[in-house]
Amino acid sequence: EIVLTQSPGTLSLSPGEGATLSCRASQSVNSTFLAWYQQKPGQAPRLLMYGASNRATGIPDRFSGSGSGTDFTLSISRLEPEDFALYYCQQHGRSPLTFGGGTKVEIK
Amino acid sequence: QVQLVESGGGVVQPGGSLRLSCAASGFTFTNYGMHWVRQAPGKGLEWVAFVRFDGSNKYYADSVKGRFSISRDSSKNTLYLQMSSLRVEDTAVYYCAKDARRFGSYFHYWGQGTLVTVSS
């Protein structure tokens, strides 16, 4: 099973600041098979990025993704109030499909 | 627009059974694989099961293998999860999710979830 480790666990930032979220895999993942999701309290997750760097429909361009092999990054260039949420990475290259433990981006 | 509406959650005793349903609309159901994903209270996301677009192959997390069964009915555009021998640790919100492709990839759209509580 591919274990995904996200860091930091919590990121405390102010609106307008930039955020960098890390996702590290226990073994190499083809970037084609790496996705990111956003989840707000009481809501279902929502697809943000697929193929490591492709934004899903309707996702603003302040979100960007990068990485390869075992290290992947989700960046948010200027935090808007609606961006404070939980973020999960996920791999679908090998079964079982696995998620990282999540990074919470909270208002400082 | 894509809509996924789960139902069937509730409270069940350990060892009991429950069947979840997910009504799909807004897309051609027979063209896409479908998943169940769960989230225990205050915890992260856990993939549970996947069925290919035509129902030909099914895959399960080890934690539910032999106890849960995923299926789909193309005549009703509905996905199911039959859960048996339920355990306290199966308590979670269960989401159905539409795959981006036929054979399995990422979770393109999600339903709002249905809560399953396993408790005596």
Side-chain angles (χ1 to χ4, degrees), chain B residues 38 46 48-49 60-69 90 94:
Chain B
R38 68 184 180 183
E46 179 187 18
V48 173
Y60 300 92
D62 285 346
S63 57
V64 306
K65 202 172 292 183
R67 301 187 299 121
F68 290 13
S69 178
D90 294 320
Y94 284 74

Side-chain angles (χ1 to χ4, degrees), chain A residues 15-82:
Chain A
E17 290 191 293
T20 301
L21 287 65
S22 172
C23 175
R24 180 160 290 176
S26 61
Q27 52 189 283
S28 185
V29 174
N30 186 311
S31 61
T32 303
F33 304 133
L34 197 288
W36 290 90
Y37 303 86
Q38 178 193 66
Q39 187 178 32
K40 297 180 181 179
Q43 295 185 17
R46 174 176 74 146
L47 176 68
L48 276 181
M49 313 287 297
Y50 63 94
S53 60
N54 301 289
R55 282 186 297 277
T57 303
I59 302 303
D61 60 8
R62 62 179 180 273
F63 289 90
S64 62
S66 63
S68 62
T70 59
D71 291 298
F72 297 90
T73 299
L74 176 70
S75 299
I76 312 171
S77 59
R78 295 170 309 279
L79 284 163
E80 298 286 343
E82 61 268 27

Side-chain angles (χ1 to χ4, degrees), chain B residues 68-82:
Chain B
F68 290 13
S69 178
I70 188 171
S71 61
R72 60 192 298 160
D73 185 337
S74 58
S75 68
K76 296 181 179 179
N77 282 0
T78 300
L79 176 72
Y80 300 101
L81 185 68
Q82 179 67 48

